[in-house]
Structures are given as C-alpha cells and as structure tokens.
Amino acid sequence: MAVDLEKLQDLLRNKLGEHFGDKIGGSELARGDLSLTVDRTVIVDVCQRLRDDPDFQFNFCSYITAVDYSALEREPRYEVIYQLYSIAKTHRLRVKAGVPEEDPIIDTVFPVWASADWLERETFDMFGIIFRGHPDLRRILMPEDWEGHPLRKDFPLGGVKSFYFKRSTEPRAGEPKNLVPRIREQLSDI
C-alpha cells in the first residue's frame, strides 16, 4: 500500500498547526522522506498527538539520535531526531527538535514510547543531551568514568598511543594452536 506523503504532510501541517500554532516549524518532503520540525518545549505533546491521532497512528519510535551542527555554525547547535513509524498506516515520519548548546535539555518521550528508553540513553551518552524525566539516564555505550561525549564535533580525535611487549618475537606467540587467525592491520599510529 503506497502512502501519499504530500497528503500526510498537509494533514500534519493542518492538524498540528491548529493545535500547537507557531511551535510547529516547517515540514519537508525530500527524497521520499517526510520531516517535521517542532519546538522542543512541546515535543512530548506532539509525540502523544502523533501516536494517538487516528489519522497518524505513529505507534513505534524506531530510532532517536542527534546531530551536532557546530561545524556549520548553525543555531541551535544540536537537533534531536526521532524516527517514527505507523504499523497500521505504514508511513514514516522524522520529527526534529532543536536543542541549544547552553541548555542541552529536552523532555523524554519515554512515557509515549517505551522503546525510547535506551535510544535516549544512547543519545545522552554520545551527544550529552539531557532527557528531562528519563527514568534511568546514564551511560549505555561508554564506561561510567568516560569524560566527554564522542559524537560531538569538538570531541578530540586520536588518543593515547598504546603498545605492549611480548616475550617472544613469534607473531602468534601465546595464542592457542586451534585459533583461527584474523587479519589485523593497523593503519594508523594510535
């Protein structure tokens, strides 16, 4: 069943614009993807409406991530992106909400979709965006004592050089005899 994205775009603009007014930014239809920009202050209300409205029925949040626009010197610096899917209607929507660098906080959508739990934790871990009201906001990919957020554009690249000494010069010294060899090639000096 083909989805008429232009019709869905008009419906989104009309219904959400009527209820949220200027808190709904633009919508964009590009390369078969429909995107909607919303103000971060109404993200939970918009998501609930998108889930509960019979015309939309976005009952699955498949992914949450962020983008750091600091290299482009764009304001706000971050944009939190929600990938939504309607199982019943088989249509998709990307919802975007800008988050400023000086106040990187947005409300959690965990009460709307339980699948947002670990997705928000990953976004927090990688970008440092705080999801206010999240039941267990802590690192999920990086160690607890890790400093910084690796997907921020200002996170330092590279690292500390590490090396180790072997007692033998044999390349496979100390490895079990039945180990299947892997090809390992170090292309950098870190």
Side-chain angles (χ1 to χ4, degrees), residues 43-171:
I43 189 66
V44 176
D45 295 332
V46 167
C47 288
Q48 283 177 332
R49 173 81 39 136
L50 290 171
R51 181 195 65 192
D52 297 339
D53 190 302
D55 287 329
F56 305 132
Q57 296 181 13
F58 287 104
N59 52 355
F60 181 57
C61 178
S62 60
Y63 198 67
I64 299 173
T65 191
V67 177
D68 181 352
Y69 287 111
S70 63
L72 300 175
E73 298 178 4
R74 186 175 131 183
E75 290 296 325
R77 177 178 174 174
Y78 304 106
E79 194 169 63
V80 178
I81 300 168
Y82 303 83
Q83 297 281 27
L84 308 180
Y85 181 68
S86 170
I87 296 170
K89 302 256 183 195
T90 66
H91 51 235
R92 298 177 189 280
L93 175 66
R94 180 179 301 120
V95 177
K96 304 177 193 179
V99 177
E101 177 179 13
E102 51 285 344
D103 185 27
I105 300 172
I106 191 167
D107 292 328
T108 182
V109 295
F110 174 73
V112 181
W113 299 289
S115 63
D117 183 3
W118 286 20
L119 301 172
E120 288 179 345
R121 284 180 59 191
E122 180 181 347
T123 304
F124 162 71
D125 198 0
M126 296 289 106
F127 290 94
I129 294 172
I130 298 164
F131 292 89
R132 183 183 12 226
H134 191 281
D136 187 22
L137 194 61
R138 59 189 165 96
R139 290 199 180 268
I140 192 169
L141 298 174
M142 305 305 292
E144 286 294 328
D145 60 348
W146 188 270
E147 293 180 22
H149 304 282
L151 291 182
R152 285 186 174 184
K153 296 293 183 194
D154 55 3
F155 190 78
L157 297 177
V160 179
K161 291 183 181 179
S162 62
F163 60 93
Y164 64 97
F165 293 99
K166 286 179 154 183
R167 294 179 196 263
S168 171
T169 56
E170 176 66 33

Side-chain angles (χ1 to χ4, degrees), residues 32-44:
D33 289 331
L34 182 57
S35 299
L36 176 71
T37 304
V38 303
D39 190 280
R40 71 178 170 148
T41 60
V42 295
I43 189 66
V44 176

